[in-house]
Amino acid sequence: MKKLISILLLSLYLVSTTELYQLLKLPVLIEHYIEHKNLSPEMSFTAFLKVHYDHPVKDNDYETDQKLPFVSHASLLSVVFTVNPSLDFYVKEKVYHPLEIKKTFYKSVLYNKEIVNSIWEPPRFHHS
C-alpha cells in the first residue's frame, strides 16, 4: 500500500512540475489521428506524426493541432521577482568604537598547569 501511494504521489508531482503533463494529451492525439485516417485511409501513423510535428502546416484543424502533446509548451514553474520602485537602498556610515578588553591571567585553585601537563609524562613508581 505504501508503494502504491508513493508511486501515486511521485506521479502527481512529476506531472505537475515537468513536461510529463503532455502525456495526458495522448487521447487527443489518438482522436486526431483517427480523424485523419477517416479522411485519408492510406495515411500511416508515422506519416501523421511527420505532418504534425516535422513540418506543421497552418490548416483548417490548426486549433486541434495545437492541442496535441508536445506541440505547445507552457511554463509550469514561474518565479517572479519584482522590486518596489519606491524602495530606496542607502548605506549608513557606522562609527567604530573599539571595546577595551582587559587581559587577565587565569588563576584559580581548580586549575593547575603542572597537573594538566603531567598527563603526557610516563608513569612514575614510588618506592617506599
Side-chain angles (χ1 to χ4, degrees), residues 90-101:
Y90 60 92
V91 178
K92 188 175 178 181
E93 187 177 332
K94 286 195 161 199
V95 180
Y96 177 68
H97 298 291
L99 296 174
E100 283 190 37
I101 300 173

Side-chain angles (χ1 to χ4, degrees), residues 66-80:
Q66 293 302 306
K67 294 177 185 176
L68 296 176
F70 303 107
V71 170
S72 61
H73 302 282
S75 57
L76 297 172
L77 296 175
S78 298
V79 178
V80 177

Side-chain angles (χ1 to χ4, degrees), residues 22 52 54 59 64:
Q22 296 280 348
H52 287 84
D54 196 16
D59 53 1
T64 310

